[in-house]
Amino acid sequence: MNVEKIILWTRQIGWPPSYKKCAEKKWMDLIHHALTLGIRAFDTAPIYGNGQSEILLWKALQKSPVNRKNISLITKFGMRLWKGGNNYFCFSEESIKQELQESLTRLQTNYIDVYLLHIPDEKQIDVDEVIQVLNTLKSEWQIKSYGLCNTYGWLLENFLHHPDSHIEYIEDFYNILERKAEKLIFPYLDEQKFFAYSPLYRWFLTDIHPKILLQKDEAGINRLLKHNGIKDLLIRRQILKNTAASQWISLQGLALNFLKNNSHVDKILFGTTSKEHLDEFVWYFLKK
């Protein structure tokens, strides 16, 4: 696996609390550094900072010498933000087309490489309507391909088995500790490629002590440590640490090797605020 398998996940760009702590220049430097390392794929969404992530990504990429045709932009639709700050979902043809135009404007591009349905609610969604509008947008060259993000069960089956479906990508939460995708998604995959996000489980799969992570509140670790099943997670984490120690590697190394050698995983999303962390992540995937 090489650097082409890495997607820079820009969720933290423009998303509190990270955005409040980090200046715009730092985010742009991080994206430029990713390009220097050879990373060419970037995952974002309108909901990340209410469009701020897409805007900052465009600002960074416009100053890059890398040609747009060599950049893969992944963004999403369906999960929206009220002016009051609460999330809501809308999957109508009108809403999808509106969201796409807003994303194209923020990213200053005339097409999206991968357009993902973001956390759909099966009670509110018409699969036929969504497939139809996505196929139309693809035929108009406004999107090159489309897929699903955080989709399971009945809804996943209906999208994948729809006669007019051309779903090429599935994106979901997957790492050595959280492996529900193996039962909920992998059995349904045919030609689709799988993108795994949160490879280190919000830094939980590192040798940093959870109490220190809690103090830092790094990448949502505070929410993780308040998880109802945190006791079980801590036990399983310790088992993995012992396994890593027996192999003379770090817990992070064990977690990344798991994904690196997983035949179901096509690409891996990595989100960070640090160039040093990105360097280390890339190093793991370049070494033999």
Side-chain angles (χ1 to χ4, degrees):
M1 184 175 282
N2 54 39
V3 73
E4 293 179 358
K5 300 292 185 178
I6 299 174
I7 300 171
L8 184 64
W9 191 21
T10 65
R11 181 181 184 273
Q12 291 173 270
I13 299 178
W15 185 282
S18 301
Y19 179 63
K20 294 180 180 179
K21 295 179 181 179
C22 301
E24 181 175 309
K25 184 179 183 303
K26 180 175 180 178
W27 289 121
M28 294 179 69
D29 286 345
L30 179 68
I31 295 169
H32 291 157
H33 187 63
L35 290 166
T36 300
L37 294 172
I39 294 173
R40 296 291 183 267
F42 300 86
D43 180 284
T44 184
I47 199 68
Y48 300 164
N50 196 20
Q52 191 67 26
S53 174
E54 291 181 324
I55 291 171
L56 290 180
L57 182 55
W58 161 69
K59 285 184 178 181
L61 293 177
Q62 72 165 337
K63 296 182 179 180
S64 165
V66 180
N67 193 287
R68 167 67 180 94
K69 67 180 181 180
N70 296 320
I71 298 290
S72 180
L73 292 178
I74 305 163
T75 194
K76 309 176 185 76
F77 69 95
M79 187 177 182
R80 312 199 66 173
L81 187 71
W82 289 110
K83 290 182 180 180
N86 296 320
N87 296 338
Y88 73 101
F89 299 88
C90 190
F91 310 104
S92 68
E93 177 179 357
E94 180 183 4
S95 180
I96 294 170
K97 289 183 176 180
Q98 179 187 11
E99 276 202 272
L100 176 61
Q101 291 307 311
E102 291 171 353
S103 288
L104 291 173
T105 298
R106 285 190 291 263
L107 290 164
Q108 288 294 291
T109 184
N110 56 8
Y111 69 93
I112 299 298
D113 295 274
V114 182
Y115 204 38
L116 299 178
L117 177 58
H118 202 184
I119 318 181
D121 183 343
E122 64 182 59
K123 296 179 181 179
Q124 302 179 36
I125 196 167
D126 183 328
V127 174
D128 290 325
E129 182 177 15
V130 173
I131 290 292
Q132 181 179 357
V133 67
L134 289 175
N135 285 338
T136 298
L137 294 173
K138 187 176 179 181
S139 68
E140 294 173 350
W141 298 95
Q142 295 190 66
I143 60 175
K144 292 179 69 174
S145 59
Y146 60 84
L148 306 171
C149 180
N150 300 320
T151 309
Y152 313 101
W154 172 89
L155 198 55
L156 176 64
E157 288 188 75
N158 274 266
F159 267 108
L160 292 179
H161 296 156
H162 192 283
D164 296 324
S165 171
H166 297 287
I167 289 172
E168 297 182 44
Y169 303 97
I170 307 289
E171 181 176 301
D172 212 283
F173 183 47
Y174 183 61
N175 53 58
I176 196 172
L177 189 60
E178 178 49 77
R179 301 170 63 173
K180 292 180 181 178
E182 293 175 1
K183 292 184 177 181
L184 298 177
I185 295 176
F186 291 178
Y188 300 101
L189 296 180
D190 185 15
E191 300 288 326
Q192 297 81 18
K193 296 179 179 179
F194 182 74
F195 297 166
Y197 69 79
S198 203
L200 299 178
Y201 208 149
R202 306 187 183 107
W203 303 101
F204 193 59
L205 290 170
T206 67
D207 292 320
I208 303 173
H209 196 280
K211 288 184 178 179
I212 297 176
L213 288 174
L214 180 58
Q215 292 171 359
K216 291 183 175 183
D217 194 26
E218 180 73 45
I221 194 70
N222 188 40
R223 294 197 308 276
L224 171 60
L225 295 184
K226 291 179 180 178
H227 191 283
N228 291 332
I230 186 59
K231 290 184 178 180
D232 177 62
L233 288 175
L234 287 168
I235 292 172
R236 291 162 60 200
R237 177 182 183 271
Q238 187 58 50
I239 293 173
L240 290 172
K241 279 196 71 174
N242 295 340
T243 301
S246 70
Q247 299 178 16
W248 298 93
I249 58 175
S250 65
L251 177 56
Q252 177 172 329
L254 182 74
L256 296 182
N257 282 339
F258 169 78
L259 293 174
K260 180 179 178 179
N261 299 317
N262 193 307
S263 60
H264 284 100
V265 178
D266 183 72
K267 293 185 186 292
I268 298 159
L269 282 74
F270 184 65
T272 182
T273 62
S274 165
K275 289 192 286 187
E276 291 73 23
H277 287 158
L278 185 58
D279 285 339
E280 184 177 0
F281 187 82
V282 169
W283 177 80
Y284 270 104
F285 285 92
L286 289 179
K287 73 173 186 174
K288 296 181 180 181

